[in-house]
Amino acid sequence: MFLNKRLLFSFAIIALTLQSCSEYQKVLKNEDVKAKYDLAEKFYKEKDFKRSNRLFEQIAPKYIGKPQGERVMFFFADTYFQREDYNMAGYQFERFIKSYSKSDKIQEAAFLGAKSYYMLSPNYSLDQTDTDKALLKLQNFINTYQDSEYFAEANVLAKELTTKKEQKAFEIVKQYNKLGEFNFELLKSAVAGSDNFISDYPGSIYKEEALFVKLDALTHMAMNSFESLKTERLGNAKGAYDVLKKKFPETKFSEEADNLLKKIEKELKRLPEEAK
């Protein structure tokens, strides 16, 4: 008995599915715009975004300038977002914003459009063009809609992207320092890069490490300099140590920094008086 009920239920589901597919194919092929609109909205409410998108795609041009156009264009854009086609979602939400700037859906469209570009942002090691575009969109949203229900999430997304850009910039500085142990020009780039990074991202989570990288690079520069230049360069390295300890008294690089300071002070003591 229980098995029969399960079979009947399964057959009912299959029948409904076939009926739905048949209805979809029929409406898709005919020219009845209203029928397409009704079925597209029905699928949208049922979260069948693939078929909903296909129908909205067909009728969207027909509703330009009509009262239902605003609704159609928002749903059309959102079906792309729900299907994770973020390139098209971003493009369609931008079209919606330009066409319906006074819509009640404008905040949601602006946020989802910005989030579409956020979703396209790649790993930090890759080109960050989409990250820059997403940050611009998110910042515009944050500046414009401070009372929006999406405001907090927009800030979280913007912070995440900013950190990603910081990581990319800082990895370049670290690479200069890593490759430049015995290469003066690369060490100079590491020092300059650290300074520029701290200037560009003063509140970065990588600031502490950037100060340590500067200390490390300056120490290597000083230790491998001509005797006549060592005193000044060792002094610069010691100054970088002081800045690190001042900004971060309990720095996680304390042991490594203290070891570098010992090398600096040992080398200063070794130098003959005329070199000081």
Side-chain angles (χ1 to χ4, degrees):
M1 185 71 174
F2 178 70
L3 183 60
N4 288 337
K5 285 184 177 180
R6 289 184 62 181
L7 284 172
L8 286 171
F9 180 75
S10 298
F11 286 140
I13 293 296
I14 292 170
L16 286 172
T17 302
L18 290 173
Q19 181 182 355
S20 175
C21 289
S22 175
E23 181 186 16
Y24 170 67
Q25 290 298 331
K26 181 180 177 182
V27 171
L28 191 68
K29 293 175 182 177
N30 70 33
E31 299 299 321
D32 189 338
V33 175
K34 179 65 166 56
K36 291 178 190 284
Y37 174 90
D38 290 340
L39 189 58
E41 189 161 322
K42 175 177 177 289
F43 284 142
Y44 182 86
K45 290 177 180 177
E46 293 173 354
K47 301 188 184 304
D48 185 346
F49 298 113
K50 182 177 180 179
R51 290 195 287 183
S52 180
N53 173 268
R54 186 74 180 90
L55 290 164
F56 278 129
E57 182 182 37
Q58 286 192 347
I59 65 174
K62 309 287 187 182
Y63 280 95
I64 294 175
K66 294 183 178 180
Q68 303 98 320
E70 178 183 332
R71 187 176 178 85
V72 169
M73 290 304 296
F74 181 85
F75 285 163
F76 183 37
D78 194 44
T79 56
Y80 281 117
F81 185 86
Q82 299 299 334
R83 293 179 62 201
E84 300 181 6
D85 185 346
Y86 297 117
N87 272 307
M88 283 301 297
Y91 170 71
Q92 292 297 341
F93 277 122
E94 284 182 354
R95 285 187 65 197
F96 178 86
I97 291 165
K98 289 176 183 176
S99 301
Y100 303 100
S101 59
K102 298 188 183 301
S103 169
D104 292 340
K105 288 284 191 180
I106 198 69
Q107 289 188 24
E108 187 176 359
F111 173 71
L112 291 176
K115 190 171 182 178
S116 297
Y117 291 108
Y118 161 85
M119 298 300 293
L120 292 169
S121 175
N123 183 279
Y124 78 89
S125 62
L126 302 175
D127 179 78
Q128 295 299 302
T129 300
D130 283 323
T131 302
D132 291 334
K133 190 165 188 176
L135 266 173
L136 179 61
K137 298 285 184 185
L138 284 166
Q139 198 57 57
N140 285 341
F141 178 85
I142 290 165
N143 293 341
T144 307
Y145 303 110
Q146 296 183 11
D147 296 326
S148 170
E149 63 181 293
Y150 305 105
F151 181 79
E153 186 179 354
N155 271 291
V156 171
L157 299 183
K159 176 62 177 175
E160 184 181 326
L161 295 184
T162 299
T163 300
K164 184 185 290 189
K165 285 181 62 67
E166 290 172 9
Q167 185 178 7
K168 182 177 179 66
F170 184 59
E171 286 296 325
I172 294 171
V173 175
K174 285 173 65 177
Q175 195 68 7
Y176 280 139
N177 189 47
K178 181 179 179 181
L179 298 175
E181 185 172 357
F182 300 105
N183 184 309
F184 184 78
E185 290 304 317
L186 286 176
L187 289 173
K188 276 179 64 178
S189 295
V191 173
S194 296
D195 285 338
N196 290 337
F197 178 84
I198 292 166
S199 175
D200 292 340
Y201 306 103
S204 173
I205 61 173
Y206 300 107
K207 182 176 181 178
E208 179 182 357
E209 191 173 357
L211 289 171
F212 174 74
V213 167
K214 181 179 179 180
L215 163 61
D216 192 52
L218 284 171
T219 302
H220 281 106
M221 284 175 64
M223 299 300 285
N224 294 287
S225 293
F226 293 114
E227 294 288 296
S228 59
L229 299 173
K230 275 192 174 182
T231 301
E232 180 183 355
R233 289 177 178 169
L234 287 166
N236 291 338
K238 193 171 181 179
Y241 173 88
D242 292 339
V243 171
L244 172 62
K245 296 294 283 188
K246 181 179 179 181
K247 297 288 185 182
F248 299 94
E250 304 298 325
T251 176
K252 61 185 177 183
F253 301 104
S254 183
E255 184 177 348
E256 296 160 275
D258 288 346
N259 287 336
L260 290 174
L261 180 63
K262 289 175 184 176
K263 288 183 180 180
I264 293 166
E265 291 179 336
K266 182 178 179 180
E267 188 66 11
L268 281 169
K269 289 177 181 178
R270 186 199 65 78
L271 288 174
E273 286 300 319
E274 60 269 20
K276 297 181 180 178

